[in-house]
Amino acid sequence: TQLLEQSPQFLSIQEGENLTVYCNSSSVFSSLQWYRQEPGEGPVLLVTVVTGGEVKKLKRLTFQFGDARKDSSLHITAAQPGDTGLYLCAGASSPYNYGQNFVFGPGTRLSVLP
Amino acid sequence: SAVISQKPSRDICQRGTSLTIQCQVDSQVTMMFWYRQQPGQSLTLIATANQGSEATYESGFVIDKFPISRPNLTFSTLTVSNMSPEDSSIYLCSVDPQSYNEQFFGPGTRLTVL
């Protein structure tokens, strides 16, 4: 069974600050997704990365997939209170497969204070 | 993408009873998933439900405790049977419309067992 670790577990920052959260594994993933979950809601897909070294930008969010496809990072520039939530990474060891091949990380709980 | 609704949104149940959670999708999908999210935790896959076949359960989850139905390509139910306080969790259904390991989640059902 593959495992994903995320750090930090909790993060509380002031509006306007920058931050980076990390998702790491000892295993190689064919793809990796980032989700954001707000209280009382289900997770919402933010991005999928599939190529080692890939960088994707979504407004103030920058996602990077490690060259070896074992890790990923999410960088938020000028954080806003609306960015508050639980950030989850999830990965598949092989394409189109679930079960033991697909895992969620434990999450980073972000709080952005106005 | 896909729009997913769940019923009920929340419930408080007595120990020993059962609750059936419904998941409705706005389009036909092959793969539907049921997850459990315990308080402050990440997501754990309970089972994968494909139309026309029995659900596939992950380690630690059994059909007698979590029977699943998948009568058509837009609907599924998960029953939590003989509940105990340890079953208090958020239960989420999700779909992967294109089988690209990109999931879309329902809003979840928050279950409290007394």
Side-chain angles (χ1 to χ4, degrees):
Chain A
T1 303
Q2 306 195 60
L3 294 175
L4 283 169
E5 299 177 344
Q6 290 188 244
S7 61
Q9 185 178 1
F10 299 97
L11 187 58
S12 181
I13 61 171
Q14 293 295 133
E15 182 176 3
E17 293 183 0
N18 302 331
L19 67 114
T20 302
V21 299
Y22 300 93
C23 176
N24 298 288
S25 176
S26 59
S27 304
V28 175
F29 288 90
S30 65
S31 68
L32 197 142
Q33 292 80 36
W34 284 93
Y35 294 82
R36 179 172 65 212
Q37 184 178 23
E38 298 183 27
E41 302 290 331
V44 175
L45 178 67
L46 296 174
V47 77
T48 297
V49 287
V50 296
T51 305
E54 181 177 7
V55 177
K56 284 191 174 180
K57 292 191 175 183
L58 184 65
K59 297 183 180 179
R60 295 177 293 101
L61 279 60
T62 301
F63 305 86
Q64 184 162 6
F65 202 13
D67 291 341
R69 305 208 314 276
K70 294 183 178 181
D71 55 87
S72 180
S73 63
L74 160 59
H75 181 79
I76 300 179
T77 304
Q80 299 176 0
D83 296 326
T84 294
L86 178 66
Y87 287 80
L88 296 157
C89 64
S93 61
S94 58
Y96 322 130
N97 284 317
Y98 284 93
Q100 292 185 0
N101 294 313
F102 189 88
V103 293
F104 275 87
T108 292
R109 196 166 296 277
L110 172 66
S111 177
V112 181
L113 305 175
Chain B
S1 65
V3 178
I4 304 162
S5 60
Q6 285 185 234
K7 289 182 181 180
S9 59
R10 59 178 63 231
D11 207 341
I12 300 173
C13 301
Q14 294 297 319
R15 180 196 298 263
T17 62
S18 298
L19 176 72
T20 295
I21 302 168
Q22 300 179 5
C23 179
Q24 180 76 51
V25 189
D26 68 340
S27 57
Q28 294 184 340
V29 293
T30 301
M31 303 178 77
M32 293 182 75
F33 308 91
W34 287 98
Y35 284 87
R36 182 174 72 184
Q37 186 175 30
Q38 295 179 305
Q41 302 296 316
S42 186
L43 279 68
T44 301
L45 181 64
I46 297 172
T48 302
N50 292 336
Q51 195 269 338
S53 62
E54 287 196 5
T56 301
Y57 290 82
E58 297 303 310
S59 177
F61 298 97
V62 295
I63 187 170
D64 290 345
K65 175 68 174 178
F66 297 100
I68 289 172
S69 77
R70 184 76 200 276
N72 56 52
L73 291 173
T74 64
F75 187 78
S76 178
T77 67
L78 169 75
T79 299
V80 186
S81 304
N82 189 25
M83 289 184 285
S84 67
E86 292 71 33
D87 294 320
S88 297
S89 285
I90 298 172
Y91 291 86
L92 296 149
C93 70
S94 73
V95 301
D96 181 354
Q98 299 182 346
S99 299
Y100 287 166
N101 293 131
E102 295 182 334
Q103 297 183 63
F104 297 89
F105 285 85
T109 295
R110 184 178 295 273
L111 171 62
T112 301
V113 183
L114 303 177

